[in-house]
Amino acid sequence: MTSVTDAPLPFKSLERITSSSSYPLESDSNPVDAVIFAGVSLVLGTACRQLFNGTRVPYTVVLLVIGIVLGSLEYGSNHSLGKIGHGIRIWNDINPDLLLAVFLPALLFESSFSMDVHQIKRCLGQMVLLAGPGVLISTFWIGSLLKFTFPYNWDWKTSLLLGALLGATDPVAVVALLKELGASKKMTTIIDGESLMNDGVSVVVFQLFLKMVMGGTSDWSFIIKFLAQNSFGAVGIGVAFGIASVFWLRFVFNDIVVQITVTLSISYFAYFTAQEWAGVSGILTVMTLGMFFAAFARTAFKGDNLQSLHHFWEMVAYIANTLVFILSGVIIAEGDFSSRKISYEGASWGFLFLLYLYVQLSRCVMVGVLYPLLRRFGYGLDWKESIILTWSGLRGAVSLSLALSVKQSSGNSYLSSETGTRFLFLTGGIVFLTLVVNGSTTQLLLHLLRMDTLTGTKKRILEYTKFEMMNTAFKAFENLGDDEELGSADWHTVIGHIPSLKNLQGEQVNPHDGCEAGNVDPTNIMDIRIRFLNGVQAAYWEMLDDGKIIQSTANVLMRSVDEALDLVSTESLCDWRGLKPCVHFPKYYKFLQSRIIPRKLVSYLIVERLESACYISSAFLRAHRIARHQLHGFLGNNDIASIVISESEVEGEEAKQFLEEVRDSFPQVLSVLKTRQVAHYVLNHLNGYIKNLEKVGLLQGKEVSHLHDAVQSDLKKLLRNPPLLKLPNVNDLITTNPLLRAL
């Protein structure tokens, strides 16, 4: 984060270190102690994650309490933690800008990259409302209450500064909590996206008021210019880095190490460029970059590479979350002990709890004012979701870092040291209260509102699947229960060691039996349509991995399924609708009679477009065929499954008709496409064959490397120089094709 002082320091001032430390300064200079503290934090965090797994206590709240305990032991005693205490003081004395620069880029990129792009598009209006006008409403509400009710004689600028500081709902805290509690996808997208945008906007507003408090100009032209430059500039830089990195990834072939390194390095480089060089919001820049990657680069990672990428970023987010929340607790404890004069005043604690009430009220006012608009944008918002949205306004490391910036900038004629200390005390208290009170009770609130329960349809599907699991287990037992080396096993003993399959009573009942074709429950058919379309999308991913479709085709197909999923409650299957603009048989073949038209232009106008349309049509038909087979195999013959299968067959009629027209007019196109698919499949099969030989020990080291490199080289050549269609002579094509003769 760009420092607001003219001379930013990498560490806190020497006077502060001397006054707050009771041990020799030279003992604090060992950098290894900082690594020791990070290692201890990860060990404690991992132990608590395992211990509290399955409980209602959020993992992030436990981390915060651990940090407060460690900070209290270190700063409340005479350096009783030894080298771990040295590490605590080193981390705590880091410049707050550096603290954000270390953790935020990775956390923000992981959160935004993992979001569903289609969900973002639908919820974008709600996110902008909450992060734009919502931040301003919250800032001025909190600032006004502080100005009129708190006895600190703060002017309007100082009161609004604290309001802006507390207006940021920390994405680190919110995202970690929602992922842990398993909130609905729509709710998670709204709160996740709002917290990411909200955080960036709040930091911009905070920087504006801090400049004004420190004596900067406060005329409207400066304010508008500052806000516009920081907001639009950040988005522009994020898009620019996204375009450059996606272009770079096109030249990376099946090298996951390079791909992961590109995503990691580009997130930090974009943050640094925006924050330090351009002077705009680095948070908004990284958020834009992550969303750009999610929209245009997700299909660049195939199969195991995509899984490896997600595993890497999940691990990075886990490590960063652990360290951030423990450090937040340490900072809260240190702020309490460094401001004992304030914390010992009973009135200070009373005003802290009053401020917590103000923060919650500001969130209520903000959601209440915007509720009429929130209901009409995107997927809408009901009253239950608005309650969760209000209660999930957690504060975290970002607010603490901003409070540290205020304290670091205090001690002058513009901002007194007491005000800076009081900012840190109040902010630390609000972070603690929102994480502990709101964070710990969010799951209970979801339960009370019945937002964490399975619908009747899902319960029936669950019970039905358990019986299917029992059948699958018995088949596995029949295959492995007897062998010539060890003999036989007892089924009852085996099943006794599988608790997940116990307590299955009664007969297996199809979850949709008893539904007549003319009297179908809309909830049931909607559920089956969703499952069917999810199967279609999974088939597209598999085809992308197998090389049967290319990246651009996959993006179009995935988008069509996302759009159809939005309409499952009101319409039959309609994913072909989104593909129609990309699939049509051109009607301008008569221009082929002209010898003036260059052959390359003819190839572009007809052949390339036909190839893309054929890819889309064939993939659509194949994916629907796979999904129909899976649905029939899972549910068998029942009315609802038959309805959805019939809808799928109707959807495929136009795709079949298009391919028939191409087969009659340009059979060479289909032949070339099939040649590409078969060549790619053969090379992938050879890759699997080599890996299997290595697995069973028939190939080793150098042999595997030599064969693998040869196959990879062929794959790279195939992707960059695929088989091309050779157009026949124009006159021969027209005279031999009755369809073209009729035009």
Side-chain angles (χ1 to χ4, degrees):
M1 184 162 305
T2 305
S3 180
V4 294
T5 59
D6 294 332
L9 299 174
F11 295 93
K12 297 177 185 177
S13 64
L14 183 62
E15 292 80 9
R16 178 181 172 183
I17 296 177
T18 305
S19 62
S20 63
S21 303
S22 57
Y23 56 93
L25 285 175
E26 54 270 16
S27 66
D28 191 37
S29 61
N30 188 356
V32 177
D33 294 341
V35 180
I36 293 174
F37 170 70
V40 170
S41 298
L42 291 176
V43 170
L44 291 174
T46 303
C48 289
R49 181 184 178 91
Q50 186 176 6
L51 181 64
F52 288 93
N53 186 29
T55 67
R56 290 194 173 187
V57 181
Y59 167 65
T60 52
V61 174
V62 179
L63 294 179
L64 186 73
V65 173
I66 290 176
I68 292 175
V69 171
L70 290 176
S72 300
L73 290 175
E74 173 61 21
Y75 290 99
S77 63
N78 187 19
H79 186 50
S80 61
L81 295 184
K83 296 182 74 64
I84 297 177
H86 291 163
I88 288 176
R89 294 178 184 260
I90 291 175
W91 278 98
N92 194 47
D93 288 337
I94 290 179
N95 182 283
D97 298 341
L98 179 59
L99 193 65
L100 290 180
V102 170
F103 294 111
L104 270 189
L107 286 168
L108 293 173
F109 184 86
E110 189 272 337
S111 298
S112 53
F113 178 63
S114 62
M115 293 178 71
D116 189 308
V117 177
H118 181 71
Q119 295 269 342
I120 292 175
K121 290 179 181 177
R122 291 297 303 270
C123 300
L124 186 61
Q126 295 164 307
M127 296 177 194
V128 172
L129 278 174
L130 293 167
V135 167
L136 298 179
I137 292 172
S138 179
T139 297
F140 283 95
W141 175 267
I142 296 175
S144 299
L145 292 175
L146 287 170
K147 172 65 178 174
F148 291 122
T149 62
F150 275 46
Y152 301 135
N153 295 322
W154 290 341
D155 58 18
W156 274 104
K157 295 177 183 178
T158 306
S159 300
L160 291 173
L161 176 64
L162 185 55
L165 189 153
L166 295 175
T169 56
D170 187 13
V172 178
V174 177
V175 172
L177 178 69
L178 289 174
K179 287 183 178 180
E180 192 173 350
L181 296 183
S184 69
K185 190 174 182 181
K186 180 187 83 170
M187 200 69 233
T188 302
T189 301
I190 293 175
I191 298 177
D192 192 354
E194 182 256 340
S195 65
L196 288 169
M197 291 185 177
N198 174 305
D199 197 60
V201 174
S202 295
V203 170
V204 172
V205 175
F206 166 83
Q207 291 175 333
L208 172 65
F209 282 116
L210 186 56
K211 286 179 179 292
M212 294 166 62
V213 168
M214 301 304 290
T217 181
S218 58
D219 59 273
W220 282 105
S221 61
F222 169 77
I223 294 175
I224 294 174
K225 179 182 178 182
F226 181 86
L227 294 176
Q229 179 179 340
N230 274 268
S231 302
F232 295 109
V235 172
I237 293 176
V239 171
F241 272 94
I243 294 173
S245 53
V246 169
F247 181 76
W248 185 357
L249 286 173
R250 288 186 177 179
F251 294 93
V252 180
F253 178 76
N254 206 22
D255 192 337
I256 187 58
V257 175
V258 173
Q259 290 173 327
I260 289 177
T261 305
V262 168
T263 60
L264 180 64
S265 59
I266 209 73
S267 62
Y268 279 92
F269 191 43
Y271 182 89
F272 171 80
T273 301
Q275 199 73 39
E276 304 297 333
W277 178 71
V280 299
S281 174
I283 295 174
L284 287 177
T285 298
V286 177
M287 181 202 71
T288 304
L289 174 66
M291 290 184 178
F292 189 91
F293 256 79
F296 299 102
R298 193 183 298 275
T299 52
F301 306 93
K302 301 177 182 178
D304 294 338
N305 286 1
L306 181 61
Q307 190 176 18
S308 299
L309 180 72
H310 282 300
H311 287 167
F312 169 80
W313 278 106
E314 285 176 3
M315 178 58 65
V316 170
Y318 165 72
I319 293 174
N321 269 322
T322 301
L323 294 177
V324 162
F325 281 100
I326 290 181
L327 281 173
S328 297
V330 168
I331 292 172
I332 291 174
E334 190 273 341
D336 183 39
F337 282 100
S338 65
S339 56
R340 293 189 178 185
K341 180 180 178 182
I342 294 175
S343 60
Y344 285 167
E345 298 175 359
S348 295
W349 289 95
F351 284 115
L352 171 61
F353 288 108
L354 181 61
L355 180 59
Y356 171 75
L357 179 62
Y358 287 168
V359 169
Q360 301 308 313
L361 287 175
S362 71
R363 188 80 176 167
C364 290
V365 170
M366 184 258 290
V367 174
V369 170
L370 299 177
Y371 183 69
L373 294 175
L374 293 174
R375 291 184 59 188
R376 289 170 172 79
F377 282 95
Y379 293 108
L381 197 74
D382 59 31
W383 66 272
K384 291 183 178 181
E385 292 166 337
S386 64
I387 292 176
I388 298 298
L389 181 63
T390 302
W391 196 245
S392 61
L394 309 181
R395 273 67 176 175
V398 174
S399 296
L400 280 173
S401 297
L402 297 180
L404 285 172
S405 294
V406 174
K407 186 175 181 181
Q408 194 178 62
S409 304
S410 62
N412 49 54
S413 58
Y414 299 109
L415 198 64
S416 66
S417 298
E418 182 182 357
T419 300
T421 304
R422 199 174 295 278
F423 264 52
L424 184 59
F425 170 77
L426 293 173
T427 304
I430 294 300
V431 169
F432 177 79
L433 290 173
T434 55
L435 284 174
V436 172
V437 178
N438 299 50
S440 298
T441 56
T442 299
Q443 187 173 15
L444 176 61
L445 188 59
L446 287 169
H447 180 71
L448 292 176
L449 294 173
R450 302 183 65 82
M451 297 178 67
D452 62 343
T453 58
L454 295 174
T455 63
T457 302
K458 292 183 183 296
K459 287 180 180 179
R460 292 194 296 271
I461 287 284
L462 185 62
E463 291 301 317
Y464 177 78
T465 307
K466 285 184 178 180
F467 278 99
E468 287 294 312
M469 290 171 62
M470 176 67 80
N471 295 333
T472 302
F474 187 72
K475 290 179 181 179
F477 171 80
E478 289 181 332
N479 293 332
L480 301 175
D482 193 5
D483 63 55
E484 58 184 85
E485 288 86 9
L486 299 178
S488 61
D490 179 65
W491 165 248
H492 295 288
T493 304
V494 171
I495 201 66
H497 290 280
I498 309 178
S500 58
L501 297 181
K502 290 182 179 179
N503 302 322
L504 293 178
Q505 300 177 354
E507 297 182 357
Q508 181 180 12
V509 179
N510 191 293
H512 300 292
D513 277 350
C515 297
E516 299 179 358
N519 186 25
V520 175
D521 185 352
T523 304
N524 291 343
I525 195 169
M526 180 182 71
D527 179 78
I528 297 304
R529 285 172 183 157
I530 292 174
R531 297 176 191 274
F532 182 88
L533 289 172
N534 287 337
V536 170
Q537 199 164 57
Y540 289 150
W541 277 110
E542 187 174 351
M543 282 186 265
L544 178 64
D545 295 339
D546 292 340
K548 294 177 181 177
I549 56 176
I550 58 178
Q551 184 178 340
S552 58
T553 302
N555 287 329
V556 174
L557 292 168
M558 302 290 185
R559 185 168 60 248
S560 70
V561 174
D562 288 331
E563 293 170 354
L565 282 169
D566 291 337
L567 303 173
V568 291
S569 61
T570 57
E571 298 186 27
S572 60
L573 294 177
C574 57
D575 49 327
W576 178 252
R577 182 186 304 171
L579 301 176
K580 277 186 178 181
C582 305
V583 180
H584 61 277
F585 205 77
K587 300 300 182 182
Y588 42 76
Y589 287 142
K590 58 184 178 181
F591 289 108
L592 287 173
Q593 298 176 7
S594 173
R595 296 178 180 272
I596 303 175
I597 302 177
R599 304 297 291 161
K600 289 185 178 180
L601 181 59
V602 172
S603 177
Y604 171 76
L605 291 176
I606 297 178
V607 176
E608 291 188 9
R609 296 190 180 187
L610 282 180
E611 287 180 351
S612 175
C614 289
Y615 265 127
I616 292 173
S617 300
S618 62
F620 176 86
L621 291 172
R622 182 186 297 271
H624 271 249
R625 186 166 60 249
I626 293 172
R628 288 197 299 267
H629 177 74
Q630 292 173 340
L631 183 63
H632 183 269
F634 182 61
L635 294 180
N637 293 317
N638 68 78
D639 292 328
I640 294 184
S642 299
I643 291 173
V644 176
I645 289 174
S646 298
E647 291 176 356
S648 169
E649 292 173 345
V650 171
E651 279 284 274
E653 291 300 324
E654 291 188 34
K656 290 180 182 178
Q657 182 180 358
F658 173 78
L659 290 177
E660 286 298 326
E661 290 181 351
V662 175
R663 185 175 288 108
D664 292 338
S665 304
F666 278 96
Q668 303 91 342
V669 173
L670 299 182
S671 176
V672 169
L673 294 185
K674 190 61 179 177
T675 301
R676 293 179 189 174
Q677 289 185 352
V678 172
H680 202 288
Y681 174 79
V682 169
L683 288 171
N684 278 337
H685 184 73
L686 290 177
N687 256 335
Y689 176 70
I690 295 169
K691 291 179 180 178
N692 185 63
L693 290 178
E694 180 186 20
K695 183 179 180 180
V696 299
L698 295 178
L699 287 180
Q700 298 177 352
K702 191 69 175 179
E703 301 163 338
V704 174
S705 177
H706 176 77
L707 293 173
H708 181 265
D709 290 345
V711 175
Q712 290 295 101
S713 177
D714 291 340
L715 265 174
K716 188 183 298 185
K717 291 178 182 177
L718 177 65
L719 290 176
R720 294 181 177 176
N721 300 293
L724 298 177
L725 175 64
K726 295 181 179 179
L727 284 175
N729 182 273
V730 178
N731 291 331
D732 294 340
L733 177 66
I734 295 174
T735 56
T736 58
N737 194 314
L739 177 64
L740 297 184
R741 285 203 308 267
L743 293 176

